[in-house]
Amino acid sequence: MQGLPQSVLFCCDHNAVRSPMAEGIMKKFYGLDTYVQSVGVNNDLEIDGFSIAVCQEMDVELSRHRSRSFDEMQEWGDDLSSFDLVIALSPASQRRALELTRFFHLEVEYWPILDPTGLGETRDAKLTQFRAARDQIVARITERFGAPTKPQV
């Protein structure tokens, strides 16, 4: 376990499933103790309804999340070099993060989190897969940053 950085950027393929879940969970666990954002390699999907549902089960609100890409983040004035840590949740986002940070002294970690999209035939089976991804994220966050500093209800 390492200390909590001042800022963390989570990234995945579309900023529609894993990285928004990680952003929301991190904010719930640590509040304003760290600045947290998320992006995707692409921004071609809205937030997934199953991600919203499984995070709502733990009182993490994702319905207002707006997906954005690395390129949009830079266009909107967010400088990648201002983050202390980038956590990639997919191989494509790891490649993109390493490409964009090669000139910065910036730590990039890769967490191989299950991509639940396309898994499961029924609604219940899909929810089970999304819960598994959410639970992997929770485990990695608490393993990396320690117990939540904000009271959990």
Side-chain angles (χ1 to χ4, degrees):
M1 181 177 62
Q2 299 174 17
L4 197 62
Q6 288 187 334
S7 57
V8 176
L9 179 68
F10 288 101
C11 56
C12 66
D13 294 345
H14 302 278
N15 194 220
V17 177
R18 292 169 286 180
S19 59
M21 285 199 287
E23 176 186 352
I25 292 165
M26 183 98 174
K27 286 177 177 177
K28 177 170 179 57
F29 283 6
Y30 308 105
L32 299 176
D33 293 344
T34 191
Y35 177 73
V36 184
Q37 290 293 307
S38 65
V39 297
V41 174
N42 300 299
N43 173 22
D44 53 353
L45 300 173
E46 291 298 320
I47 182 119
D48 191 286
F50 288 110
S51 291
I52 293 170
V54 300
C55 283
Q56 188 61 49
E57 292 173 352
M58 57 183 293
D59 200 30
V60 172
E61 176 57 47
L62 295 183
S63 65
R64 292 188 304 270
H65 177 81
R66 296 295 165 248
S67 299
R68 66 181 183 158
S69 67
F70 280 107
D71 293 337
E72 287 171 325
M73 183 184 87
Q74 291 177 315
E75 288 169 15
W76 297 343
D78 284 337
D79 188 359
L80 198 58
S81 67
S82 66
F83 288 92
D84 296 319
L85 175 62
V86 176
I87 299 175
L89 306 176
S90 70
S93 65
Q94 179 191 29
R95 283 190 301 275
R96 183 76 169 134
L98 289 171
E99 171 189 313
L100 291 171
T101 62
R102 67 182 178 268
F103 299 114
F104 303 127
H105 180 68
L106 180 63
E107 188 177 357
V108 177
E109 292 182 11
Y110 173 59
W111 294 0
I113 302 296
L114 165 78
D115 181 359
T117 58
L119 300 177
E121 296 295 319
T122 66
R123 176 175 169 69
D124 285 340
K126 289 178 183 300
L127 284 169
T128 297
Q129 295 301 321
F130 276 77
R131 286 183 188 113
R134 177 202 63 200
D135 294 347
Q136 283 182 340
I137 291 167
V138 167
R140 290 302 298 256
I141 285 174
T142 55
E143 176 186 305
R144 173 68 165 80
F145 303 115
T149 59
K150 301 299 170 206
Q152 303 303 299
V153 275

